[in-house]
Structure formats: C-alpha cells, structure tokens
Amino acid sequence: MCNLGFGCYPPTQNSLMLKIESYQYRFLHVLIGLFVVRIIQAAVVYFVPFQFDTSSAILIDKYKSEIPKYPGWLLQILNNLTAWDSVYFLKLSMDGITYEHEWVFGPLWWRMMRIFKTSMSFYGIEMDIYDVLVSFIILNNVLIILISYILYHLCLLICEGNLKLIGKLNNKKFAYYTSLIILIQPSGIFSTVSYSETMVQFLSYLGVYLYLSSRGRVTLSNRVRYFLSGTLFTIAFGFRSNSLLYGIIYLTDLLQFRNIKDIFTILITGAQLFIGLALSIYIPYSIYCPERGEWCNSFSKSLVLYAQSHYWDNGFLKYFTIANIPMFVIAAPQLLILGLSINFFKSWVTLKSLTIMSAIYLALQFTTMHVQIVNRVSTFIPLHIWYVSYLYTVNPERGRWILKWWIFWVILQTALFAAFLPPA
C-alpha cells in the first residue's frame, strides 16, 4: 500500500507513520492555543469590576501620555494589568532605581526594557507607561512560543537518554503535548505581563537543553555546550535570583567526575554563577556602603537578602502563621505536583542533578519564601511540566484532572491579579 509522501508500507506501519508525523512540533497549533488562552485572559481582565488597591493609578497618571494612544477598552485591560510587582517593573523601566528595596527586582529585566525605551527615543518615538507594558506583553508571548519549541526538543532529548525507563512511551506524542501544556502552566497571568518569569524560564530551559545535550561523548563541542549552559543560567540569575540554584547541578557533577579536564570544565562553568552572585552583592554595596550601616555590616553584605527579610519578611519558617494558611492552601496543588514530579524523575539517570536541584528549591520554597509564589516561580524548572505531560500521554484520565485544575487556576488567578488581590 503506497501513500504519497510516506512511501510504501504495510497498513499497520503506514498508520504508525501517520501518527508519528501528527506529533511533530506544530507552530500553528501553539500559536492558536496561545491566542485562545490570551483572549480568555483579556476578557477576564476587562470584566473585573474593581481593583482592591488603586494606588497603581498614581503611577499610570505620572507616566502616561497626555493624548491617549490606545482605545478605551484596551486601556481598561492595561490599567488592570498594572498590579502587584508590575508596578515596580514599570516604574523601574520608566525611571530607574529610587529606593534600595528596588534592587530586589531583577536588574537585567527592567534595564533591558529601559534601554529599549531609551533607544526608541533616539528615533523620535517616546514610550509612555502603556507602551512599555505592551512591549513587555509582546516580548513575553514571543518567549512562550520559543519555550514551547525548546520544551518539545528537550522532551525528545530526555527520552533518548532514558530509554529503559520510558517503556512504550511515544516520545513524540509526549513532546507534542508538552509543547501545548506550557500554554496553561500555573504561572498564568504572570507569564503574560511585565514579570521576568518568562525570560527566566526561556534562559533556564535553553540552559538545561545545552547541559543535557553535552552529556555523552567527551568532545570539544560538548564541553562548549556545557560551559554555555552555565552562561545562560548566569544571565537568568540577572533576571531573577532563584536561577542561582542551577549552580547545584555543577556541584553534584563535581562530586561525580574524577577526570582533571572534566573537573576544570565544571569549575569554570560554575564560576560564572559565582561571579554573577559576587557582582550582585558588590554593586549595591559599593553604592550604599559603609554609610548605610545595617545590611552593610551584615555577614553576607547582601542588600537583596536584607531587603527580602526586612521589607518582605522572607526567612526560615517566618511565613508559618495562622494568617497565611490560605496562602498555603493556594500553593498546595503546585507543591504536590512538584513533589510528585521530583519523585517520578529521580530514577531518570540523566536528570539526577536536575531533580536534586529541584528538591532543594521545593524545600526552600516551602520553608523560606512566600509559599504562594510557587505557582509562578517554579516555572524556572521543567520537571512539573514534563510530569503532567507524561501522565496525560500514558494515562489521559489522570493527566486530564491536573490540566483541568491548571485551566481553572489560570482563569481564577487572572481575575484575582486584575482585581489587585492575592496571591501575587
């Protein structure tokens, strides 16, 4: 039996080839899926009846153009999207740092937008706060598409490295579902607006791809890939500090390898993250200290650690209060999914370092950070996305329940964010 484009196969083989072809990466499918999700989110944002905190109106009035550039319905959506940390990122993009606690907000993220804004002014285009927000939204949506593509190939890569464990898993089907599931990940609205999570996710997943693809034969090309993975994690750290945890994968590698060349490669790769950390401490210290006192005299000399503790009350078990029980309830589903994904992938040989790092992140997220932000911050690791996609591929009924929850959560979270209500 012959089919144009596939050659001649017995009916069963031809059917198999058609199925394999249908699970290739489909840019159009991703684009349509993203469009549907964003339209639903835009409708939810538009119809939110009020904002609990209207202080962002002060920021908007200060930085908006006198003559409106956008139609009223779009301004309504943009106004409602100026909430929580979006206020900080937009203010920093417009005006730079005024107060020391603003150093907490990913220095590369808003500086990148500020450079773009300044460069546009050279061409006579003056960007107001709405233009900056729209630029962030466009950038984040482009990045989501790129992340979807990277994830597709990451799935194929991890399947190749763990053939004994995947059994009869259709790896292309698994990869295809993953490329679409990313569109409804629990970060939801935070992956859309002016937050840095999407950029960090893009850089981290690309770094993971280079890291995993470098494992195998010892070649110069693979050593370069390994080194560049550290470069990407370091850049991601400049956008959001949790990416520093990727340094753990190099520490675990250091304990496994004995060859001098391997050890040297690991050390110079991991050193990039150490240099990034040192710079993040030194730069604010050189600006404020020793006159500032307080955190200048601390052991760590870190403004970011001080600000997280002093202004946001982060710290070991500090969040364990009766008042924060609702936040733990909100975080519980994602914490559970992360825990299950770590347990599932711990036996996948090529993912050992990644699961160790993810477990340490989960412990820190639960005990030290504001627990509810797990829904957006956890995007920097891919294990939970893989896990849900794997479930949906091999056991659609179980996977479907998690996907239904994620869809419900993304819609609810969008409404809460637009109303300036927790969780942030």
Side-chain angles (χ1 to χ4, degrees):
M1 181 177 181
C2 298
N3 277 352
L4 184 63
F6 290 96
C8 299
Y9 305 100
T12 53
Q13 191 173 358
N14 184 47
S15 175
L16 177 62
M17 289 299 293
L18 282 170
K19 285 184 177 180
I20 292 174
E21 285 296 319
S22 69
Y23 293 121
Q24 298 292 331
Y25 180 79
R26 303 290 184 185
F27 171 75
L28 185 60
H29 293 185
V30 174
L31 196 62
I32 292 171
L34 183 63
F35 178 76
V36 170
V37 172
R38 296 298 181 252
I39 286 294
I40 293 171
Q41 287 181 304
V44 171
V45 172
Y46 180 80
F47 287 108
V48 164
F50 68 93
Q51 279 198 315
F52 182 76
D53 186 334
T54 58
S55 60
S56 57
I58 299 170
L59 181 80
I60 292 170
D61 288 340
K62 182 178 180 181
Y63 295 113
K64 71 179 181 180
S65 299
E66 293 183 8
I67 302 173
K69 300 180 181 180
Y70 300 96
W73 63 268
L74 184 53
L75 289 176
Q76 172 73 15
I77 292 173
L78 296 176
N79 286 337
N80 286 346
L81 290 177
T82 308
W84 293 108
D85 289 356
S86 278
V87 174
Y88 285 103
F89 287 118
L90 292 172
K91 181 269 175 185
L92 289 166
S93 299
M94 298 299 295
D95 231 5
I97 288 178
T98 305
Y99 306 104
E100 69 173 18
H101 68 274
E102 293 172 336
W103 283 89
V104 168
F105 299 94
L108 292 185
W109 180 238
W110 62 263
R111 281 186 173 89
M112 179 186 67
M113 185 55 68
R114 189 161 168 76
I115 290 169
F116 175 69
K117 175 180 172 293
T118 303
S119 65
M120 293 300 287
S121 67
F122 282 117
Y123 296 97
I125 302 173
E126 297 298 330
M127 295 177 64
D128 70 356
I129 191 169
Y130 291 124
D131 296 323
V132 171
L133 178 53
V134 168
S135 299
F136 272 129
I137 292 170
I138 292 171
L139 174 59
N140 276 335
N141 280 286
V142 170
L143 288 172
I144 282 290
I145 294 171
L146 295 175
I147 292 165
S148 168
Y149 182 76
I150 293 169
L151 264 179
Y152 180 87
H153 291 282
L154 253 178
C155 288
L156 298 181
L157 184 64
I158 65 171
C159 287
E160 288 173 8
N162 297 276
L163 292 175
K164 292 181 180 179
L165 291 169
I166 63 174
K168 296 180 179 179
L169 174 71
N170 182 333
N171 60 349
K172 287 199 171 183
K173 186 177 182 181
F174 168 52
Y176 173 76
Y177 285 156
T178 306
S179 71
L180 294 177
I181 286 172
I182 193 69
L183 305 179
I184 54 169
Q185 62 183 328
S187 56
I189 195 68
F190 297 101
S191 292
T192 307
V193 289
S194 54
Y195 281 64
S196 59
E197 268 74 7
T198 311
M199 177 61 82
V200 173
Q201 187 176 23
F202 167 71
L203 292 168
S204 296
Y205 288 12
L206 190 56
V208 170
Y209 182 85
L210 290 177
Y211 172 79
L212 293 177
S213 63
S214 71
R215 313 301 288 266
R217 291 192 304 119
V218 180
T219 63
L220 178 61
S221 174
N222 280 344
R223 290 190 187 279
V224 170
R225 282 173 179 244
Y226 189 90
F227 178 81
L228 289 177
S229 71
T231 305
L232 288 169
F233 294 142
T234 304
I235 296 171
F237 169 68
F239 285 95
R240 211 179 193 291
S241 58
N242 52 282
S243 298
L244 182 66
L245 290 173
Y246 272 106
I248 293 168
I249 67 176
Y250 303 116
L251 290 176
T252 57
D253 284 351
L254 202 57
L255 297 174
Q256 296 177 44
F257 290 89
R258 295 291 180 267
N259 181 283
I260 294 297
K261 288 184 178 179
D262 290 337
I263 292 173
F264 178 74
T265 302
I266 295 166
L267 288 174
I268 62 170
T269 301
Q272 297 175 91
L273 277 162
F274 179 80
I275 292 169
L277 174 62
L279 285 174
S280 72
I281 295 172
Y282 172 75
I283 293 172
Y285 184 88
S286 66
I287 294 172
Y288 295 103
C289 298
E291 293 79 11
R292 172 64 177 83
E294 253 185 303
W295 61 268
C296 294
N297 301 322
S298 68
F299 175 77
S300 68
K301 303 292 189 289
S302 172
L303 170 55
V304 172
L305 284 180
Y306 169 81
Q308 289 283 8
S309 175
H310 184 73
Y311 297 108
W312 281 275
D313 202 31
N314 274 316
F316 185 66
L317 302 184
K318 283 187 175 182
Y319 216 57
F320 281 66
T321 65
I322 293 175
N324 287 327
I325 289 176
M327 298 299 104
F328 280 90
V329 172
I330 287 170
Q334 185 61 9
L335 291 172
L336 177 61
I337 293 168
L338 277 170
L340 290 172
S341 65
I342 292 167
N343 183 63
F344 179 78
F345 286 111
K346 68 182 181 182
S347 57
W348 291 45
V349 179
T350 59
L351 301 181
K352 183 178 180 180
S353 298
L354 196 58
T355 54
I356 292 172
M357 184 274 289
S358 301
I360 292 172
Y361 158 69
L362 180 59
L364 289 171
Q365 179 67 74
F366 182 68
T367 62
T368 308
M369 306 180 195
H370 289 188
V371 71
Q372 76 277 6
I373 69 171
V374 66
N375 287 296
R376 60 182 172 90
V377 175
S378 60
T379 54
F380 85 109
I381 54 176
L383 291 186
H384 61 291
I385 305 291
W386 288 336
Y387 177 68
V388 175
S389 179
Y390 184 92
L391 282 183
Y392 188 71
T393 304
V394 300
N395 190 339
E397 193 58 38
R398 287 180 63 193
R400 194 174 291 120
W401 278 107
I402 298 178
L403 293 178
K404 285 178 179 178
W405 162 249
W406 277 6
I407 292 169
F408 170 76
W409 170 246
V410 167
I411 294 171
L412 175 61
Q413 175 205 69
T414 299
L416 293 170
F417 180 88
F420 222 129
L421 291 168

